[in-house]
Amino acid sequence: MQKSLPYLIRLTAVLAVIGLAVAGCGRKGDLDPPSAAATKEGDVSKPTKKPGTVDKPFLLDPLL
């Protein structure tokens, strides 16, 4: 089955737009400073949890 040229151009354009949209996700700017409680304890390597929050594992956590 041979695909027509306009179909391939359209598919390439859609994939390029999706790729640019995914690459543009995220926050722009500097990282947030550590919380005051973490700096008082002297250990800023561990993130502080807010009371009442549940840590839900994410699918890609093992990769990080």
Side-chain angles (χ1 to χ4, degrees):
M1 179 196 262
Q2 185 178 6
K3 302 289 183 183
S4 62
L5 186 61
Y7 173 78
L8 292 176
I9 292 173
R10 201 173 324 141
L11 178 64
T12 304
V14 167
L15 291 176
V17 167
I18 291 172
L20 288 173
V22 170
C25 293
R27 286 180 58 184
K28 183 177 181 180
D30 295 334
L31 297 175
D32 293 335
S35 66
T39 56
K40 285 181 185 176
E41 294 173 4
D43 185 14
V44 294
S45 62
K46 298 179 188 173
T48 58
K49 287 181 61 178
K50 295 179 182 173
T53 59
V54 177
D55 186 25
K56 298 179 190 174
F58 184 65
L59 177 68
L60 299 176
D61 279 345
L63 296 176
L64 300 174

